[in-house]
Amino acid sequence: AKARLSLPNDADQITITPEDGRLLQILIRLGGIGKIIELGTLGGYSSLWMAAALPADGKIITIEKDAARFALAQQNLAHDPRITVIQGDAMAVLPTLSASAPFDMIFIDADKLRYVDYLDWAERHIRKDGLIVADNTLLFGAAFDDAPHPRVRDTARQSIRAFNTRLADPARYTGILLPTAEGLSIAQKLF
């Protein structure tokens, strides 16, 4: 999939790995996922991985704030009518999508400071037994480290910790934080 699209120069540091892409595909197929919200499109690499596992009538709505990355994603994803790319701040765009709920899955790979806000929205708009999947939830190891990390602001660390804590609630989720390259949280919503 990576050879089929253009990626920004910093993509090796900010795209999902092929292993993460394959895991997303397995989750989509096993979970009967048809409607996905993605927060943080970048060049569209994760969107392509997920779209490859969708049924023919499946749909991904992916939101990218950065104008250059949005343009790149539009170029890379134009061939797949199941993928809609929207430019804007996720917290401004998500309320406009509420009427289309419930969704089957949300994939969060955007502003780390807003992960808890994204989870608030997902709790109201992802169906019962749907999936909440988030990348970078180990945050370069800073999520569980009390010492400052040179690449991570303390506010981001606190946000990711709060997000991880909420997903660890067994009354609300069946979940796991996988120790992938940057940490991948997967939770099935139980309510």
Side-chain angles (χ1 to χ4, degrees), residues 137-153:
T137 52
L138 286 177
L139 207 58
F140 307 104
F144 299 103
D145 191 357
D146 287 329
H149 191 284
R151 293 182 65 184
V152 177
R153 295 184 316 241

Side-chain angles (χ1 to χ4, degrees), residues 23-167:
L23 180 57
L24 288 171
Q25 289 180 337
I26 291 168
L27 292 170
I28 289 165
R29 287 187 178 124
L30 288 175
I33 304 298
K35 287 173 57 178
I36 300 171
I37 295 289
E38 177 183 34
L39 307 180
T41 314
L42 186 59
Y45 187 57
S46 54
S47 301
L48 288 177
W49 275 105
M50 292 187 289
L54 282 176
D57 63 345
K59 183 79 175 155
I60 298 174
I61 299 172
T62 183
I63 304 166
E64 175 56 53
K65 183 176 182 178
D66 182 82
R69 290 177 177 170
F70 168 76
L72 182 62
Q74 279 191 308
Q75 173 189 331
N76 289 331
L77 303 173
H79 70 282
D80 194 331
R82 298 172 302 166
I83 304 172
T84 301
V85 185
I86 299 174
Q87 183 181 9
D89 180 271
M91 291 311 298
V93 174
L94 285 171
T96 70
L97 303 175
S98 296
S100 299
F103 295 93
D104 301 314
M105 177 177 153
I106 187 168
F107 178 56
I108 304 170
D109 192 8
D111 179 6
K112 307 313 175 235
L113 295 176
R114 304 304 297 266
Y115 269 40
V116 171
D117 297 326
Y118 303 146
L119 183 56
D120 289 341
W121 186 89
E123 287 181 343
R124 294 186 310 274
H125 298 94
I126 300 298
R127 68 171 164 83
K128 181 181 185 293
D129 297 322
L131 295 178
I132 297 169
V133 182
D135 198 18
N136 307 116
T137 52
L138 286 177
L139 207 58
F140 307 104
F144 299 103
D145 191 357
D146 287 329
H149 191 284
R151 293 182 65 184
V152 177
R153 295 184 316 241
D154 190 58
T155 52
R157 182 176 62 148
Q158 295 304 322
S159 174
I160 292 297
R161 281 182 172 180
F163 178 84
N164 289 336
T165 298
R166 288 221 352 231
L167 284 187

